[in-house]
């Protein structure tokens, strides 16, 4: 499908607002985390929809921000099935929990409205996941338990959720999280993640995002602003290797303000979501780490000029200017 001229006209003046109003009429949403109240009116902020020709046969990509976990688990609650059933969606490929490719002629705003309706549907009435070769939770629990001594050596402990989830406190209120879960979805080239381990990790930074866990042991990768994902074969050796070689080295240099600012300032693309980079620039400037903030702003100005007017970019510039005057 050609991106230009291939989509239908929007169905109303504001399909997203219509979807929000329709969803709100059904009552409040169901909370998925004890410390987070999902709000229907906030949902559009966590859904991005764009034209895409990354995968043959698909013309649209949906990005779900980390905050979507407050509304549903895209895999466990069958979000892909609910979205595939939306009128106008002809085909769907879920790359993972946060990236979904569609084939549809719907206008971009109507696609976003369809995603909102699907998320609200599975929040209230989850669907069973489609049958796959996904690892059993018992198997994942055994593997996570086997690597617990390695993680305990560097200060991690299990959180109350269970043996697959670990946390470690850093400085300045930072909390780091590692989760070992069954792999789901497919990669961009169509390779299935079923049968693999999905290792998620990241650092929760106070002041980033709206999710503010009440206790450090409630922090999960979904609360982290720059989560990292790895998929590995389900063996103790493979899991140990990715933790030792990939996960822990990054977490060791992002445990506090100065460390995180140096890491991101050295290469802002280490923050995988471009829209998050202005927020880090503002935070670094607020922390007095002006040189690192300036590096991130310079990167945004050069490589993401559309984010140059982002409120956090503007605020970071003002703070840098004030600190250097």
């Amino acid at each position: 499908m050609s991106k230009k001229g291939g989509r239908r006209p929007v169905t109303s003046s504001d399909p997203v607002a219509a979807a929000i109003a329709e969803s709100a009429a059904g009552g409040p949403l169901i909370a998925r985390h004890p410390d987070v109240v999902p709000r229907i009116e906030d949902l559009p902020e966590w859904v991005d929809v764009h034209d895409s020709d990354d995968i043959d046969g698909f013309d649209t990509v949906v990005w779900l921000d980390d905050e979507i976990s407050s509304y549903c688990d895209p895999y466990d609650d069958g979000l892909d099935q609910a979205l595939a059933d939306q009128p106008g969606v002809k085909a769907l490929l879920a790359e993972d929990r946060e990236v979904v490719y569609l084939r549809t002629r719907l206008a971009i705003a109507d696609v976003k409205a369809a995603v909102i309706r699907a998320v609200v549907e599975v929040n209230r009435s989850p669907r069973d996941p489609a049958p796959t070769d996904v690892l059993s939770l018992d198997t994942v629990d055994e593997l996570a338990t086997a690597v617990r001594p390695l993680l305990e050596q560097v200060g991690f402990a299990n959180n109350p959720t269970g043996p697959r989830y670990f946390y470690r406190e850093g400085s300045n209120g930072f909390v780091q999280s590692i989760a070992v879960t069954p792999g789901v979805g497919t990669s961009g080239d169509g390779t299935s993640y079923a049968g693999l381990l999905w290792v998620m990790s990241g650092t929760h930074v106070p002041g980033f995002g709206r999710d503010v866990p009440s206790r450090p042991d409630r922090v999960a990768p979904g609360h982290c602003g720059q989560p990292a994902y790895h998929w590995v074969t389900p063996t103790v050796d493979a899991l140990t290797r990715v933790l030792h070689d990939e996960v822990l080295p990054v977490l060791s240099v992002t445990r506090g303000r100065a460390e995180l600012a140096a890491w991101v300032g050295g290469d802002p693309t280490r923050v995988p979501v471009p829209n998050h980079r202005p927020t880090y620039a503002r935070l670094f400037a607020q922390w007095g780490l002006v040189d690192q903030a300036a590096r991130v702003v310079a990167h945004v100005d050069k490589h993401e000029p559309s984010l140059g007017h982002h409120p956090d970019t503007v605020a970071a510039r003002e703070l840098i200017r004030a600190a250097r005057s």
Side-chain angles (χ1 to χ4, degrees), residues 216-304:
D217 63 2
R218 293 190 180 276
V219 170
H223 298 113
C224 301
Q226 67 290 341
Y229 304 136
H230 298 85
W231 288 267
V232 299
T233 55
T235 67
V236 174
D237 286 346
L239 180 55
T240 299
R241 187 164 37 273
V242 77
L243 289 170
H244 183 273
D245 296 346
E246 303 289 342
V247 174
L248 293 176
V250 171
L251 295 180
S252 70
V253 296
T254 56
R255 293 189 70 175
R257 290 177 176 179
E259 299 97 317
L260 178 66
W263 187 71
V264 174
D267 180 2
T269 64
R270 287 168 172 160
V271 176
V273 181
N275 286 350
H276 292 174
R277 294 167 193 162
T279 304
Y280 281 105
R282 173 182 57 78
L283 288 173
F284 298 163
Q286 288 175 336
W287 298 341
L289 303 171
V290 176
D291 290 344
Q292 292 87 340
R295 293 190 188 104
V296 180
V297 169
H299 172 90
V300 169
D301 288 341
K302 181 177 180 180
H303 299 285
E304 291 109 24

Side-chain angles (χ1 to χ4, degrees), residues 30-33 64-82 96-98 100 118-130 134 137 161 164-165 179 181-185 198 200 222:
I30 298 171
R32 296 306 180 91
H33 302 299
L64 303 172
D65 216 334
D66 298 329
E67 286 81 358
I68 209 71
S69 65
S70 300
Y71 298 82
C72 69
D73 183 304
Y75 171 72
D76 290 340
D77 296 335
L79 178 60
D80 56 341
Q81 300 174 63
D96 56 34
R97 277 177 164 86
E98 298 175 345
V100 180
V119 170
V120 171
E121 176 193 326
V122 299
N123 170 270
R124 292 168 172 156
S125 301
R127 300 192 184 192
D128 292 329
V134 172
L137 294 182
T161 306
R164 302 187 300 278
Y165 298 88
T181 67
V184 297
W198 185 13
M200 298 176 277

Side-chain angles (χ1 to χ4, degrees), residues 145-156 239-245 248:
T145 300
V147 298
R148 185 170 60 198
L150 168 66
L151 297 177
E152 288 178 339
Q153 287 177 7
V154 292
F156 279 91
L239 180 55
T240 299
R241 187 164 37 273
V242 77
L243 289 170
H244 183 273
D245 296 346
L248 293 176

Side-chain angles (χ1 to χ4, degrees), residues 12-188:
S12 67
S13 59
D14 192 341
V16 172
I20 292 296
E22 173 188 332
S23 300
L29 297 179
I30 298 171
R32 296 306 180 91
H33 302 299
D35 299 315
V36 183
V37 178
R39 291 157 47 93
I40 292 176
E41 58 268 31
D42 292 339
L43 189 49
E45 296 184 44
W46 317 132
V47 177
D48 285 320
V49 180
H50 301 280
D51 290 307
S52 173
D53 56 7
D54 292 342
I55 299 180
D56 289 343
F58 297 88
D59 47 61
T60 308
V61 62
V62 177
W63 291 83
L64 303 172
D65 216 334
D66 298 329
E67 286 81 358
I68 209 71
S69 65
S70 300
Y71 298 82
C72 69
D73 183 304
Y75 171 72
D76 290 340
D77 296 335
L79 178 60
D80 56 341
Q81 300 174 63
L83 183 53
D85 288 344
Q86 293 291 314
V89 175
K90 301 302 182 184
L92 179 148
L93 173 65
E95 180 175 294
D96 56 34
R97 277 177 164 86
E98 298 175 345
V99 182
V100 180
Y101 292 93
L102 305 176
R103 181 167 72 247
T104 179
R105 292 188 60 211
L106 293 173
I108 290 295
D110 283 305
V111 176
K112 187 167 185 174
V115 176
I116 289 169
R117 288 193 294 268
V119 170
V120 171
E121 176 193 326
V122 299
N123 170 270
R124 292 168 172 156
S125 301
R127 300 192 184 192
D128 292 329
T132 68
D133 296 324
V134 172
L135 294 170
S136 72
L137 294 182
D138 287 342
T139 297
V140 178
D141 284 350
E142 292 176 4
L143 291 165
T145 300
V147 298
R148 185 170 60 198
L150 168 66
L151 297 177
E152 288 178 339
Q153 287 177 7
V154 292
F156 279 91
N158 280 127
N159 72 21
T161 306
R164 302 187 300 278
Y165 298 88
F166 301 84
Y167 78 100
R168 177 175 71 179
E169 295 185 63
S171 60
N172 309 116
F174 283 34
V175 181
Q176 298 185 314
S177 176
I178 297 174
V180 182
T181 67
V184 297
T186 58
S187 66

